[in-house]
mmCIF file of all heavy atoms in Angstrom:
data_model
loop_
_atom_site.group_PDB
_atom_site.id
_atom_site.type_symbol
_atom_site.label_atom_id
_atom_site.label_comp_id
_atom_site.label_asym_id
_atom_site.label_seq_id
_atom_site.Cartn_x
_atom_site.Cartn_y
_atom_site.Cartn_z
ATOM 1 N N HIS A 14 -21.436 0.282 0.920
ATOM 2 C CA HIS A 14 -21.444 0.854 2.259
ATOM 3 C C HIS A 14 -22.711 1.652 2.510
ATOM 4 O O HIS A 14 -23.149 2.422 1.663
ATOM 5 C CB HIS A 14 -20.215 1.725 2.533
ATOM 6 C CG HIS A 14 -20.022 1.929 3.997
ATOM 7 N ND1 HIS A 14 -19.600 0.931 4.830
ATOM 8 C CD2 HIS A 14 -20.281 2.993 4.787
ATOM 9 C CE1 HIS A 14 -19.575 1.383 6.075
ATOM 10 N NE2 HIS A 14 -19.989 2.630 6.074
ATOM 11 N N HIS A 15 -23.274 1.423 3.688
ATOM 12 C CA HIS A 15 -24.495 2.138 4.087
ATOM 13 C C HIS A 15 -24.228 2.869 5.383
ATOM 14 O O HIS A 15 -23.548 2.338 6.256
ATOM 15 C CB HIS A 15 -25.631 1.147 4.350
ATOM 16 C CG HIS A 15 -25.889 0.236 3.206
ATOM 17 N ND1 HIS A 15 -26.779 0.526 2.210
ATOM 18 C CD2 HIS A 15 -25.337 -0.962 2.886
ATOM 19 C CE1 HIS A 15 -26.770 -0.457 1.311
ATOM 20 N NE2 HIS A 15 -25.897 -1.379 1.699
ATOM 21 N N TYR A 16 -24.757 4.076 5.503
ATOM 22 C CA TYR A 16 -24.800 4.769 6.795
ATOM 23 C C TYR A 16 -26.267 4.761 7.191
ATOM 24 O O TYR A 16 -27.058 5.500 6.588
ATOM 25 C CB TYR A 16 -24.312 6.204 6.659
ATOM 26 C CG TYR A 16 -22.849 6.353 6.266
ATOM 27 C CD1 TYR A 16 -22.501 6.687 4.963
ATOM 28 C CD2 TYR A 16 -21.833 6.180 7.209
ATOM 29 C CE1 TYR A 16 -21.169 6.847 4.603
ATOM 30 C CE2 TYR A 16 -20.501 6.332 6.856
ATOM 31 C CZ TYR A 16 -20.176 6.670 5.557
ATOM 32 O OH TYR A 16 -18.863 6.834 5.204
ATOM 33 N N GLY A 17 -26.640 3.929 8.134
ATOM 34 C CA GLY A 17 -28.064 3.790 8.432
ATOM 35 C C GLY A 17 -28.765 3.378 7.155
ATOM 36 O O GLY A 17 -28.369 2.409 6.509
ATOM 37 N N GLY A 18 -29.766 4.125 6.738
ATOM 38 C CA GLY A 18 -30.492 3.770 5.524
ATOM 39 C C GLY A 18 -29.883 4.343 4.250
ATOM 40 O O GLY A 18 -30.363 4.074 3.153
ATOM 41 N N VAL A 19 -28.815 5.138 4.384
ATOM 42 C CA VAL A 19 -28.246 5.806 3.211
ATOM 43 C C VAL A 19 -27.171 4.915 2.562
ATOM 44 O O VAL A 19 -26.200 4.548 3.210
ATOM 45 C CB VAL A 19 -27.589 7.154 3.596
ATOM 46 C CG1 VAL A 19 -27.011 7.860 2.370
ATOM 47 C CG2 VAL A 19 -28.574 8.048 4.321
ATOM 48 N N ALA A 20 -27.378 4.598 1.273
ATOM 49 C CA ALA A 20 -26.357 3.830 0.558
ATOM 50 C C ALA A 20 -25.317 4.812 0.026
ATOM 51 O O ALA A 20 -25.607 5.619 -0.844
ATOM 52 C CB ALA A 20 -26.987 3.057 -0.588
ATOM 53 N N ALA A 21 -24.093 4.762 0.577
ATOM 54 C CA ALA A 21 -23.032 5.672 0.123
ATOM 55 C C ALA A 21 -22.249 5.065 -1.029
ATOM 56 O O ALA A 21 -21.737 5.791 -1.892
ATOM 57 C CB ALA A 21 -22.103 6.003 1.289
ATOM 58 N N LEU A 22 -22.109 3.738 -1.050
ATOM 59 C CA LEU A 22 -21.381 3.049 -2.126
ATOM 60 C C LEU A 22 -22.138 1.777 -2.499
ATOM 61 O O LEU A 22 -22.683 1.099 -1.639
ATOM 62 C CB LEU A 22 -19.967 2.654 -1.666
ATOM 63 C CG LEU A 22 -18.955 3.761 -1.381
ATOM 64 C CD1 LEU A 22 -17.668 3.142 -0.838
ATOM 65 C CD2 LEU A 22 -18.662 4.589 -2.635
ATOM 66 N N VAL A 38 -12.762 10.625 -8.553
ATOM 67 C CA VAL A 38 -13.393 11.925 -8.708
ATOM 68 C C VAL A 38 -14.893 11.805 -8.559
ATOM 69 O O VAL A 38 -15.485 10.819 -9.006
ATOM 70 C CB VAL A 38 -13.116 12.482 -10.131
ATOM 71 C CG1 VAL A 38 -13.443 13.956 -10.191
ATOM 72 C CG2 VAL A 38 -11.695 12.261 -10.539
ATOM 73 N N GLY A 39 -15.476 12.813 -7.942
ATOM 74 C CA GLY A 39 -16.929 12.835 -7.864
ATOM 75 C C GLY A 39 -17.376 14.117 -7.198
ATOM 76 O O GLY A 39 -16.600 14.754 -6.485
ATOM 77 N N ALA A 40 -18.626 14.461 -7.438
ATOM 78 C CA ALA A 40 -19.197 15.664 -6.835
ATOM 79 C C ALA A 40 -19.337 15.450 -5.329
ATOM 80 O O ALA A 40 -19.118 14.348 -4.827
ATOM 81 C CB ALA A 40 -20.548 15.948 -7.475
ATOM 82 N N ASN A 41 -19.727 16.494 -4.638
ATOM 83 C CA ASN A 41 -20.043 16.423 -3.221
ATOM 84 C C ASN A 41 -20.963 15.259 -2.905
ATOM 85 O O ASN A 41 -22.018 15.148 -3.509
ATOM 86 C CB ASN A 41 -20.814 17.699 -2.854
ATOM 87 C CG ASN A 41 -20.051 18.518 -1.889
ATOM 88 O OD1 ASN A 41 -19.395 17.964 -1.001
ATOM 89 N ND2 ASN A 41 -20.115 19.820 -2.049
ATOM 90 N N GLY A 42 -20.553 14.401 -1.962
ATOM 91 C CA GLY A 42 -21.446 13.331 -1.551
ATOM 92 C C GLY A 42 -21.441 12.109 -2.457
ATOM 93 O O GLY A 42 -22.205 11.166 -2.233
ATOM 94 N N ALA A 43 -20.576 12.086 -3.461
ATOM 95 C CA ALA A 43 -20.527 10.950 -4.387
ATOM 96 C C ALA A 43 -20.026 9.677 -3.704
ATOM 97 O O ALA A 43 -20.257 8.570 -4.190
ATOM 98 C CB ALA A 43 -19.642 11.286 -5.587
ATOM 99 N N GLY A 44 -19.305 9.853 -2.592
ATOM 100 C CA GLY A 44 -18.819 8.679 -1.862
ATOM 101 C C GLY A 44 -17.307 8.568 -1.790
ATOM 102 O O GLY A 44 -16.774 7.537 -1.367
ATOM 103 N N LYS A 45 -16.602 9.630 -2.175
ATOM 104 C CA LYS A 45 -15.124 9.584 -2.230
ATOM 105 C C LYS A 45 -14.487 9.283 -0.875
ATOM 106 O O LYS A 45 -13.631 8.406 -0.773
ATOM 107 C CB LYS A 45 -14.563 10.926 -2.747
ATOM 108 C CG LYS A 45 -15.075 11.330 -4.107
ATOM 109 C CD LYS A 45 -14.484 12.656 -4.554
ATOM 110 C CE LYS A 45 -14.882 13.844 -3.687
ATOM 111 N NZ LYS A 45 -16.327 14.171 -3.736
ATOM 112 N N SER A 46 -14.891 10.034 0.149
ATOM 113 C CA SER A 46 -14.252 9.846 1.462
ATOM 114 C C SER A 46 -14.533 8.444 2.002
ATOM 115 O O SER A 46 -13.655 7.816 2.603
ATOM 116 C CB SER A 46 -14.755 10.874 2.466
ATOM 117 O OG SER A 46 -14.350 12.165 2.056
ATOM 118 N N THR A 47 -15.731 7.973 1.778
ATOM 119 C CA THR A 47 -16.088 6.622 2.222
ATOM 120 C C THR A 47 -15.206 5.599 1.514
ATOM 121 O O THR A 47 -14.635 4.701 2.147
ATOM 122 C CB THR A 47 -17.585 6.353 1.921
ATOM 123 O OG1 THR A 47 -18.365 7.366 2.573
ATOM 124 C CG2 THR A 47 -18.011 4.980 2.412
ATOM 125 N N LEU A 48 -15.060 5.763 0.207
ATOM 126 C CA LEU A 48 -14.219 4.843 -0.564
ATOM 127 C C LEU A 48 -12.758 4.929 -0.117
ATOM 128 O O LEU A 48 -12.076 3.907 0.011
ATOM 129 C CB LEU A 48 -14.361 5.162 -2.055
ATOM 130 C CG LEU A 48 -13.643 4.237 -3.040
ATOM 131 C CD1 LEU A 48 -14.051 2.786 -2.821
ATOM 132 C CD2 LEU A 48 -13.949 4.649 -4.485
ATOM 133 N N GLY A 49 -12.291 6.144 0.169
ATOM 134 C CA GLY A 49 -10.915 6.330 0.621
ATOM 135 C C GLY A 49 -10.651 5.599 1.923
ATOM 136 O O GLY A 49 -9.622 4.941 2.087
ATOM 137 N N ARG A 50 -11.597 5.686 2.856
ATOM 138 C CA ARG A 50 -11.407 5.030 4.154
ATOM 139 C C ARG A 50 -11.493 3.516 4.020
ATOM 140 O O ARG A 50 -10.831 2.778 4.757
ATOM 141 C CB ARG A 50 -12.420 5.567 5.161
ATOM 142 C CG ARG A 50 -12.048 6.997 5.624
ATOM 143 C CD ARG A 50 -13.225 7.760 6.197
ATOM 144 N NE ARG A 50 -13.741 7.112 7.375
ATOM 145 C CZ ARG A 50 -15.040 7.063 7.724
ATOM 146 N NH1 ARG A 50 -15.936 7.641 6.938
ATOM 147 N NH2 ARG A 50 -15.415 6.467 8.812
ATOM 148 N N LEU A 56 -12.146 1.797 7.570
ATOM 149 C CA LEU A 56 -13.607 1.640 7.602
ATOM 150 C C LEU A 56 -13.933 0.289 6.976
ATOM 151 O O LEU A 56 -13.511 -0.001 5.849
ATOM 152 C CB LEU A 56 -14.284 2.761 6.798
ATOM 153 C CG LEU A 56 -15.803 2.683 6.682
ATOM 154 C CD1 LEU A 56 -16.482 2.923 8.027
ATOM 155 C CD2 LEU A 56 -16.320 3.709 5.657
ATOM 156 N N GLU A 80 -9.543 14.214 4.802
ATOM 157 C CA GLU A 80 -10.097 15.518 4.463
ATOM 158 C C GLU A 80 -10.064 16.365 5.734
ATOM 159 O O GLU A 80 -10.377 15.889 6.819
ATOM 160 C CB GLU A 80 -11.547 15.325 3.985
ATOM 161 C CG GLU A 80 -12.176 16.574 3.436
ATOM 162 C CD GLU A 80 -13.611 16.317 2.963
ATOM 163 O OE1 GLU A 80 -13.889 15.241 2.398
ATOM 164 O OE2 GLU A 80 -14.444 17.203 3.183
ATOM 165 N N ASP A 158 -7.166 12.660 0.648
ATOM 166 C CA ASP A 158 -8.558 13.073 0.478
ATOM 167 C C ASP A 158 -8.659 14.588 0.293
ATOM 168 O O ASP A 158 -8.446 15.345 1.247
ATOM 169 C CB ASP A 158 -9.383 12.617 1.686
ATOM 170 C CG ASP A 158 -10.893 12.688 1.432
ATOM 171 O OD1 ASP A 158 -11.300 13.247 0.393
ATOM 172 O OD2 ASP A 158 -11.650 12.184 2.278
ATOM 173 N N GLU A 159 -8.999 15.005 -0.898
ATOM 174 C CA GLU A 159 -9.216 16.415 -1.251
ATOM 175 C C GLU A 159 -8.189 17.375 -0.663
ATOM 176 O O GLU A 159 -8.526 18.269 0.121
ATOM 177 C CB GLU A 159 -10.635 16.837 -0.837
ATOM 178 C CG GLU A 159 -11.681 16.042 -1.605
ATOM 179 C CD GLU A 159 -13.055 16.716 -1.636
ATOM 180 O OE1 GLU A 159 -13.084 17.959 -1.759
ATOM 181 O OE2 GLU A 159 -14.058 16.010 -1.552
ATOM 182 N N LEU A 162 -8.699 21.361 -0.742
ATOM 183 C CA LEU A 162 -9.792 22.019 -0.027
ATOM 184 C C LEU A 162 -9.301 23.207 0.788
ATOM 185 O O LEU A 162 -8.451 23.069 1.658
ATOM 186 C CB LEU A 162 -10.456 21.002 0.900
ATOM 187 C CG LEU A 162 -11.977 21.040 0.960
ATOM 188 C CD1 LEU A 162 -12.581 20.749 -0.413
ATOM 189 C CD2 LEU A 162 -12.465 20.028 1.968
ATOM 190 N N LEU A 189 -8.237 11.509 -3.942
ATOM 191 C CA LEU A 189 -9.675 11.744 -3.941
ATOM 192 C C LEU A 189 -9.865 13.218 -4.243
ATOM 193 O O LEU A 189 -9.265 14.069 -3.582
ATOM 194 C CB LEU A 189 -10.272 11.384 -2.578
ATOM 195 C CG LEU A 189 -9.893 9.992 -2.069
ATOM 196 C CD1 LEU A 189 -10.345 9.791 -0.640
ATOM 197 C CD2 LEU A 189 -10.458 8.905 -2.959
ATOM 198 N N GLU A 190 -10.654 13.513 -5.246
ATOM 199 C CA GLU A 190 -10.630 14.860 -5.813
ATOM 200 C C GLU A 190 -12.016 15.241 -6.311
ATOM 201 O O GLU A 190 -12.704 14.431 -6.910
ATOM 202 C CB GLU A 190 -9.594 14.846 -6.949
ATOM 203 C CG GLU A 190 -9.506 16.057 -7.808
ATOM 204 C CD GLU A 190 -9.157 17.306 -7.034
ATOM 205 O OE1 GLU A 190 -8.050 17.389 -6.481
ATOM 206 O OE2 GLU A 190 -10.011 18.209 -6.990
ATOM 207 N N GLN A 191 -12.396 16.479 -6.047
ATOM 208 C CA GLN A 191 -13.705 16.911 -6.505
ATOM 209 C C GLN A 191 -13.672 17.463 -7.936
ATOM 210 O O GLN A 191 -14.653 17.352 -8.674
ATOM 211 C CB GLN A 191 -14.229 17.979 -5.551
ATOM 212 C CG GLN A 191 -15.731 18.012 -5.562
ATOM 213 C CD GLN A 191 -16.306 18.865 -4.456
ATOM 214 O OE1 GLN A 191 -17.012 19.806 -4.722
ATOM 215 N NE2 GLN A 191 -15.988 18.529 -3.215
ATOM 216 N N LEU A 206 -16.857 8.601 -9.715
ATOM 217 C CA LEU A 206 -17.921 8.104 -8.843
ATOM 218 C C LEU A 206 -19.130 8.998 -9.025
ATOM 219 O O LEU A 206 -19.016 10.224 -9.010
ATOM 220 C CB LEU A 206 -17.505 8.221 -7.378
ATOM 221 C CG LEU A 206 -16.768 7.100 -6.669
ATOM 222 C CD1 LEU A 206 -16.679 7.453 -5.186
ATOM 223 C CD2 LEU A 206 -17.432 5.760 -6.863
ATOM 224 N N GLU A 208 -22.998 9.133 -7.297
ATOM 225 C CA GLU A 208 -23.973 8.559 -6.365
ATOM 226 C C GLU A 208 -23.595 7.157 -5.923
ATOM 227 O O GLU A 208 -24.415 6.237 -5.918
ATOM 228 C CB GLU A 208 -25.372 8.611 -6.976
ATOM 229 C CG GLU A 208 -25.824 10.051 -7.171
ATOM 230 C CD GLU A 208 -27.212 10.180 -7.804
ATOM 231 O OE1 GLU A 208 -27.772 9.154 -8.239
ATOM 232 O OE2 GLU A 208 -27.698 11.328 -7.864
ATOM 233 N N GLY A 209 -22.308 6.993 -5.579
ATOM 234 C CA GLY A 209 -21.876 5.744 -4.965
ATOM 235 C C GLY A 209 -21.559 4.603 -5.902
ATOM 236 O O GLY A 209 -21.260 3.501 -5.444
HETATM 237 P P1 ATP B 301 -17.530 15.275 0.078
HETATM 238 O O1 ATP B 301 -16.950 15.790 -1.186
HETATM 239 O O2 ATP B 301 -18.649 16.121 0.602
HETATM 240 O O3 ATP B 301 -16.530 14.902 1.119
HETATM 241 P P2 ATP B 301 -17.713 12.511 -0.658
HETATM 242 O O4 ATP B 301 -17.768 12.268 -2.115
HETATM 243 O O5 ATP B 301 -16.421 12.333 0.032
HETATM 244 O O6 ATP B 301 -18.302 13.925 -0.329
HETATM 245 P P3 ATP B 301 -18.819 10.799 1.358
HETATM 246 O O7 ATP B 301 -18.350 11.707 2.423
HETATM 247 O O8 ATP B 301 -18.169 9.490 1.209
HETATM 248 O O9 ATP B 301 -18.796 11.534 -0.045
HETATM 249 O O10 ATP B 301 -20.375 10.594 1.565
HETATM 250 C C1 ATP B 301 -21.182 9.752 0.735
HETATM 251 C C2 ATP B 301 -22.631 9.761 1.226
HETATM 252 O O11 ATP B 301 -22.700 9.205 2.527
HETATM 253 C C3 ATP B 301 -23.243 11.153 1.332
HETATM 254 O O12 ATP B 301 -24.599 11.042 0.991
HETATM 255 C C4 ATP B 301 -23.084 11.485 2.797
HETATM 256 O O13 ATP B 301 -24.092 12.368 3.222
HETATM 257 C C5 ATP B 301 -23.237 10.130 3.471
HETATM 258 N N1 ATP B 301 -22.443 10.047 4.713
HETATM 259 C C6 ATP B 301 -21.102 10.170 4.822
HETATM 260 N N2 ATP B 301 -20.688 9.986 6.087
HETATM 261 C C7 ATP B 301 -21.806 9.758 6.810
HETATM 262 C C8 ATP B 301 -22.075 9.489 8.201
HETATM 263 N N3 ATP B 301 -21.075 9.418 9.094
HETATM 264 N N4 ATP B 301 -23.349 9.296 8.563
HETATM 265 C C9 ATP B 301 -24.365 9.360 7.667
HETATM 266 N N5 ATP B 301 -24.204 9.588 6.355
HETATM 267 C C10 ATP B 301 -22.935 9.798 5.924
#
Side-chain angles (χ1 to χ4, degrees):
H14 198 71
H15 305 270
Y16 295 103
V19 181
L22 293 176
V38 195
N41 244 323
K45 302 180 296 294
S46 295
T47 303
L48 185 55
R50 286 159 62 215
L56 177 68
E80 187 179 322
D158 195 351
E159 297 201 39
L162 222 61
L189 309 172
E190 172 60 65
Q191 206 169 121
L206 270 188
E208 295 179 352

